[in-house]
Structures are given as C-alpha cells and as structure tokens.
C-alpha cells in the first residue's frame, strides 16, 4: 500500500488528522541503518515507543501544559524581542532551526541557549521530504545536526518537517535517525504578515481559540519578506498572558519525554 502524503507548510493551516501511522511493515526503529553515518554528538536516550510512527500535534498526556515553538530558517529579525518577552514572563520555548540558519547565526544559537531554551532539528536546507530518498533525508537531518552541534547546541531528539510535508515512510526514517517528529496544534499564521491579511489580533485569537491540553503552538522568528512585519513577536506578550489566564502552564517539548 502506498502511504498517504500530507503536505502543509508551517505557513498554512494544519490538517485535521493528528497523526500519520506507518504501514505495518514500517515499524520505526532508532537503531542506525547499515552504513549510516554515526551521530556526531554524544548519544541520546532511547525514544519512548509511544512517540514513534507519529507526527505529534500535542504533548501526549501533558494535562494543562502548552508548548511554544518557533521555527528559524530565514532571518532572525524578531529573535531579540521574542527572547526578551519569554524572559520577562519566565517562559521556556523550543526553537526548530535549520542547519543553514545555525551556520549563519551561530551567535543567535548562543543567545537561545543562554536563555535556557530548547533546540530542535528543522533539516539542513528546508526541502520537502516526501520526494526525497532515505539517503537524502539522512543527509539533511545529519547535516543540520552537525551544524547545530558545531554551534554548541543539540537538537535531538526533536524534528519538524519542512513545510509540514510528511508521510509514513519519512516519519519512519526520521525515527530511525533518533528523532521524534513534532508538528503543531496551532499555526498562528503570523508569517503571512499584514500583506497576507494577518494582524497582531488574528495571531492572538488563533492561539486563544486553539488552546487545549498539550497544545503545541507554531510561530516564526523571521520577518515577512514582503512587508517586514513580525506579528508573532508583536503578539507574544499577549499570547503568554492569555495562556496563563486560561489556566495553562508553559513548557518545552521535553515534557513529552518525561512520562
């Protein structure tokens, strides 16, 4: 049976399906394939089996906990403001960075780590994965891993698919490389900018309307390339306030490994 492909940029609404299960003969394993390059950093603990074969849209069994996540692949126009807002409210977040971004913004990686935030792997060059071979996927993930480790960070074991594009095969491949695939519950769509019809208020409202136990919220640290807006950063203080007012606490994605 051919796996179903679901393609959704982190710059488009999230599909309704919360997980994609692998075919019966595609049971994921975190053991390296024969001939696969070894992980370039220190070993990480085995992944919980319940997290494999899935592209997670929420923190399993987390209760009233929400995770803020930020993708970094273009510029870092809003990073300083985002870090300032998170620090002011004593909130920790997870930043999914591409290897190319880590290479070009090593100082920014250091700023993220200095504030106690978590890193995740967002591929080396942000290609669509479903049209790639397993060997090409391995190269993208290991390349990003090496670049982030070289910047004194460690993205493991969290991975986010570029464009949100995945199927059961690529999820299994990511798992074999030692990563949990992490999607999102809510995309703020702040990346659309005012030129795409988004506003600070629509960003905030999408988060509030999408709050649920274990929600994973997707935002971006870069500016819109057409209008230069940084709506996610603009809305962040209000987002944190509304999340806390609704009775939720905030945590990094490590919460999903705690069980």
């Amino acid at each position: 049976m051919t796996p179903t492909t679901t393609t959704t940029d982190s710059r488009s609404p999230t599909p309704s399906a919360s997980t994609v299960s692998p075919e019966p003969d595609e049971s994921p394993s975190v053991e390296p394939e024969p001939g696969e390059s070894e992980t370039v950093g220190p070993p990480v603990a085995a992944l919980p089996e319940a997290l494999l074969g899935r592209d997670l849209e929420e923190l399993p069994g987390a209760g009233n906990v929400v995770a803020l996540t930020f993708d970094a692949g273009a510029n870092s126009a809003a990073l300083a403001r985002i870090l300032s807002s998170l620090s002011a409210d004593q909130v920790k977040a997870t930043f999914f960075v591409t290897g190319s971004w880590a290479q070009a913004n090593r100082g920014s990686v250091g700023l993220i780590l200095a504030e106690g935030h978590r890193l995740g792997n967002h591929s080396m060059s942000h290609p669509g994965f479903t049209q790639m071979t397993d060997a090409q996927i391995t190269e993208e993930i290991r390349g990003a891993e090496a670049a982030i480790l070289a910047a004194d960070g460690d993205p493991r074991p969290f991975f986010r698919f570029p464009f949100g594009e995945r199927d059961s095969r690529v999820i299994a491949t990511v798992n074999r490389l030692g990563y949990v695939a992490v999607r999102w519950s809510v995309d703020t769509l702040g990346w659309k900018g005012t030129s795409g019809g988004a506003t600070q208020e629509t960003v905030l409202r999408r988060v509030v309307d999408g709050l649920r136990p274990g929600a994973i919220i997707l935002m971006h640290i870069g500016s819109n390339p057409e209008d230069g807006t940084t709506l996610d950063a603009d809305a962040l203080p209000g987002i944190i306030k509304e999340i806390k007012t609704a009775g939720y606490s905030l945590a990094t994605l490590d919460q999903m490994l705690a069980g």
Side-chain angles (χ1 to χ4, degrees), residues 22 34 38 53 64 69 71-72 84 93 117 119 125 134-135 143 153 158 169 172-173 175 179 196 206 213 220 233 258:
E38 295 295 325
N64 288 341
T69 69
D71 282 5
S84 178
H117 302 295
L119 295 176
S125 61
D134 288 0
F158 303 115
R169 176 186 67 88
T173 303
N175 291 161
Y179 285 88
R206 284 184 64 83
H220 289 79

Side-chain angles (χ1 to χ4, degrees), residues 15-37:
S16 57
S18 61
T19 62
V20 175
S21 299
E23 298 296 328
D25 61 349
E26 292 179 325
S27 298
S29 166
V30 297
E31 295 298 321
E33 293 288 303
E36 178 186 307
S37 59

Side-chain angles (χ1 to χ4, degrees), residues 51-98:
L51 302 181
L52 303 180
R54 308 169 62 187
D55 192 16
L56 290 126
E57 292 184 1
E58 62 184 29
L59 303 172
N64 288 341
V65 176
V66 171
L68 297 180
T69 69
F70 297 86
D71 282 5
N75 63 55
S76 56
L79 179 60
R81 290 173 53 215
I82 287 169
L83 291 178
S84 178
S85 295
L86 294 172
S87 177
D89 285 294
Q90 299 182 316
V91 170
K92 303 303 180 187
T94 305
F95 290 76
F96 284 91
V97 305
T98 65

